[in-house]
Amino acid sequence: MLGQEIVLIVLLILVVLVVLRSIRIIPQQQIAIVERLGKYHRSLSAGINLIFPFIDRVARRLDLKTQQVSIPTQEVITKDNVKIRIDTVFFYTVIDPKQATYNIFDFVQGIQNITASNIRQVVGHMELDETLSGRDRISFELRQSLDEVTETWGVRIDRVEVVDIHPPIEIQASMEKQMKAEREKRANILQAEGERQAAILRAEGEKQSIILRAEADKEANIRQAEGLQQALILEANGQAESLRLIANGEKQRIQMLVEAGLDERVLAFQSFDALKQMAQGTASTIFVPTDAVGVLGSLGAIAKVFQTASTQTFDTSES
């Protein structure tokens, strides 16, 4: 009985081992290469897979996700004999696990070697300035050269990037000086342009100011002239109105004298009285019109009449 139990336990252990060796669990985005008796049999996809134990074996597991690999720093000589160091990185994806397993021993190492050799070839035809500004060109040519080789390896090159380019220290120092000089040049140009714009704006402002002042002076002169014109018109109208009123007053006075029945002798006497008042003034010379001479003659006649009248009155009083 004890021997049978031991045999059953051994058989049970063998069954468990067989089952465990028969079951293969493959994670997502991975694939396994199965060989049967040393020859490729099939590829196991993600999930639970069954194989024949002791006959089949998993030769290799491959990751189907995009992988990133950095290439060691490469020293390259440019077309103008400048030694530079370039850091690159490439991204790849396994698209055919069978080819990636059996067509090359280590496709990652192969990609690194091809990249290193092609970097020297590509950069060797470029000058330093072209290399520093032509990263896209370097990446494109590297990817083309890698695609031609990795197509048979079951690997797709998704992207090649030039991470950094390290020129010699003395070249970096001269480039920094050149960049500094260029920045100072641009700064001076911008400053000169700013001063030029400021001068133009100041000139435009002064021009506009002069124009506005001239227009203001013109408007002031026009308004002043219009004011003087209005003042002269008003003054002339006032004088004309004054003369008209004086003339009307004189006309009315003469009419009143005529209506009162005053004869020429009374008028002549009034004219003589007016001349007497004029003689009392400060003027040393008096111009008498020709008409006034006749008036004075009439005054003489009037004086004789008065003298005759007074004599007769005196004689009458004596008698």
Side-chain angles (χ1 to χ4, degrees):
M1 295 295 293
L2 182 59
Q4 293 179 355
E5 292 179 356
I6 294 173
V7 172
L8 290 174
I9 293 172
V10 172
L11 291 176
L12 183 60
I13 293 172
L14 289 176
V15 171
V16 171
L17 290 175
V18 170
V19 171
L20 290 177
R21 290 183 64 87
S22 300
I23 298 175
R24 290 291 183 269
I25 299 176
I26 307 300
Q28 184 67 32
Q29 287 296 98
Q30 288 188 6
I31 197 167
I33 301 298
V34 177
E35 294 179 350
R36 175 168 291 180
L37 299 176
K39 184 180 179 181
Y40 173 79
H41 176 59
R42 65 191 181 96
S43 299
L44 302 181
S45 58
I48 298 177
N49 298 272
L50 296 176
I51 63 174
F52 288 101
F54 307 107
I55 298 176
D56 297 339
R57 76 179 185 91
V58 176
R60 189 176 185 181
R61 290 175 181 263
L62 295 173
D63 200 328
L64 301 181
K65 296 190 295 291
T66 300
Q67 303 293 315
Q68 172 184 342
V69 178
S70 298
I71 298 175
T73 303
Q74 302 294 318
E75 290 189 354
V76 186
I77 298 177
T78 62
K79 185 178 180 180
D80 49 354
N81 297 323
V82 178
K83 183 182 290 187
I84 60 176
R85 293 180 294 112
I86 299 179
D87 296 329
T88 55
V89 62
F90 67 89
F91 300 85
Y92 73 91
T93 303
V94 176
I95 57 176
D96 191 335
K98 181 180 177 181
Q99 289 182 346
T101 302
Y102 296 105
N103 288 4
I104 186 172
F105 177 76
D106 188 350
F107 61 84
V108 173
Q109 185 66 36
I111 294 174
Q112 289 178 340
N113 293 334
I114 292 175
T115 302
S117 62
N118 279 274
I119 285 177
R120 293 184 176 88
Q121 181 180 359
V122 172
V123 177
H125 293 84
M126 300 171 63
E127 295 183 353
L128 178 61
D129 293 339
E130 294 177 343
T131 304
L132 295 175
S133 60
R135 296 189 181 189
D136 293 338
R137 174 185 170 185
I138 297 173
S139 300
F140 177 75
E141 294 188 10
L142 287 176
R143 182 176 177 181
Q144 277 190 329
S145 61
L146 288 172
D147 284 340
E148 295 174 359
V149 178
T150 58
E151 184 178 358
T152 60
W153 295 350
V155 178
R156 182 184 68 234
I157 303 299
D158 297 321
R159 193 174 184 87
V160 179
E161 290 291 339
V162 178
V163 178
D164 201 358
I165 299 176
H166 305 278
I169 298 176
E170 59 274 10
I171 298 296
Q172 291 184 11
S174 62
M175 290 173 61
E176 289 176 358
K177 292 180 180 178
Q178 182 179 359
M179 291 176 61
K180 183 179 179 181
E182 187 67 24
R183 285 194 296 267
E184 291 178 352
K185 176 183 176 182
R186 289 198 297 267
N188 292 331
I189 291 174
L190 291 175
Q191 183 178 0
E193 185 67 22
E195 293 177 354
R196 175 175 172 270
Q197 291 293 333
I200 291 174
L201 292 176
R202 284 196 298 269
E204 288 291 335
E206 293 177 357
K207 176 183 176 182
Q208 292 296 327
S209 177
I210 292 173
I211 292 173
L212 291 176
R213 284 198 299 268
E215 291 179 353
D217 294 340
K218 176 183 176 182
E219 185 70 20
N221 292 331
I222 292 173
R223 291 182 179 276
Q224 184 178 4
E226 291 177 351
L228 292 175
Q229 181 183 5
Q230 293 294 330
L232 292 175
I233 292 173
L234 293 175
E235 184 179 359
N237 290 334
Q239 292 179 356
E241 184 66 20
S242 177
L243 293 175
R244 187 182 65 80
L245 294 175
I246 293 172
N248 289 335
E250 187 67 21
K251 178 180 178 182
Q252 292 178 0
R253 188 177 68 85
I254 294 172
Q255 288 178 355
M256 291 175 65
L257 292 174
V258 172
E259 291 174 358
L262 297 177
D263 54 7
E264 294 181 354
R265 289 179 295 178
V266 174
L267 295 174
F269 180 77
Q270 289 180 350
S271 299
F272 178 76
D273 186 60
L275 288 174
K276 182 179 179 182
Q277 291 178 359
M278 291 173 60
Q280 292 177 356
T282 58
S284 59
T285 305
I286 298 175
F287 295 92
V288 179
T290 55
D291 295 338
V293 175
V295 173
L296 292 175
S298 301
L299 290 175
I302 293 170
K304 289 181 179 180
V305 171
F306 277 110
Q307 287 178 357
T308 305
S310 61
T311 303
Q312 290 177 357
T313 303
F314 179 74
D315 293 338
T316 307
S317 60
E318 284 183 352
S319 61

